[in-house]
């Protein structure tokens, strides 16, 4: 898997202060997408063990209290990203107690493959659905168009 950007401190992509990873790879190619440079799964930087270690370290850093991790892109549920995202989320669950995970995807919850569902099982809040330019609404929190849903998957304090 590749990634385009990692923000160790982010207050835009999800509630509270977070760490946010923008992955490469998206097959939806939504018209009006603000992040078209992430569509090509070969673009960006290699997501390796060192980057994963950095995310875990940042989430556990007590100097900046982060509520959790946000995953966007591209699309974290792009088939070529599933293995690395699942490994990252398993580590977050095991090594970062009390941190929540938000994920943005162009897929809808009802249409996920079994492999995608296994990854989503490690997520607390899913923002699903393709960006629809004709439904764009800048007043919406945490989503770009009104068809996209914010789906709480767990009860996190």
């Amino acid at each position: 898997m590749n990634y385009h950007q990692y923000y160790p401190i982010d207050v835009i992509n999800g509630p509270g202060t977070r760490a946010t990873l923008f992955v490469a790879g998206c097959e939806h190619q939504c018209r009006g997408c603000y992040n078209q440079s992430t569509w090509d799964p070969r673009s960006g930087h290699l997501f390796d063990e060192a980057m994963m270690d950095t995310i875990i370290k940042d989430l556990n850093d007590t100097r900046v209290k982060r509520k959790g991790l946000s995953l966007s892109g591209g699309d974290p549920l792009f088939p070529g990203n599933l293995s690395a995202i699942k490994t990252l989320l398993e580590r977050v669950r095991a090594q970062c107690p009390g941190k929540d995970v938000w994920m943005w995807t162009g897929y809808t919850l009802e249409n996920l493959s079994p492999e995608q569902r296994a990854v989503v099982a490690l997520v607390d809040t899913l923002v699903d659905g393709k960006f629809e330019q004709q439904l764009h609404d800048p007043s919406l929190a945490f989503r770009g168009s009104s068809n996209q849903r914010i789906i709480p998957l767990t009860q996190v304090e």
Side-chain angles (χ1 to χ4, degrees):
M1 178 180 86
N2 283 3
Y3 74 99
H4 268 253
Q5 198 73 32
Y6 171 63
Y7 295 102
I9 300 173
D10 181 13
V11 295
I12 303 293
N13 296 290
T17 302
R18 317 184 63 74
T20 299
L21 180 69
F22 288 89
V23 301
C26 184
E27 61 188 357
H28 307 296
Q29 301 186 2
C30 302
R31 186 166 174 244
C33 173
Y34 76 97
N35 220 356
Q36 293 180 21
S37 64
T38 65
W39 291 356
D40 182 349
R42 297 162 299 178
S43 64
H45 316 281
L46 179 65
F47 184 79
D48 58 12
E49 192 79 24
M51 186 69 235
M52 198 177 307
D53 290 344
T54 296
I55 292 170
I56 299 298
K57 180 176 145 281
D58 288 343
L59 287 171
N60 287 320
D61 184 349
T62 57
R63 295 172 299 165
V64 177
K65 184 163 173 50
R66 293 165 182 86
K67 185 168 175 26
L69 174 66
S70 292
L71 297 169
S72 190
D75 196 322
L77 295 181
F78 177 76
N81 293 340
L82 294 175
S83 176
I85 292 293
K86 187 170 189 236
T87 299
L88 171 61
L89 293 180
E90 288 170 344
R91 283 194 60 193
V92 169
R93 291 291 176 225
Q95 298 173 21
C96 305
K99 303 299 180 186
D100 69 353
V101 175
W102 277 55
M103 179 183 286
W104 281 258
T105 183
Y107 302 97
T108 58
L109 182 61
E110 296 80 11
N111 294 313
L112 297 178
S113 71
E115 295 81 13
Q116 289 169 322
R117 288 186 179 279
V119 172
V120 169
L122 300 167
V123 171
D124 297 294
T125 302
L126 185 71
V127 182
D128 80 342
K130 295 179 185 179
F131 172 75
E132 300 285 346
Q133 192 168 26
Q134 68 274 19
L135 299 175
H136 174 65
D137 183 348
S139 71
L140 296 171
F142 307 129
R143 53 201 174 120
S145 57
S146 60
N147 63 297
Q148 295 172 310
R149 304 176 297 176
I150 299 173
I151 305 170
L153 301 172
T154 62
Q155 299 299 320
V156 176
E157 293 295 318

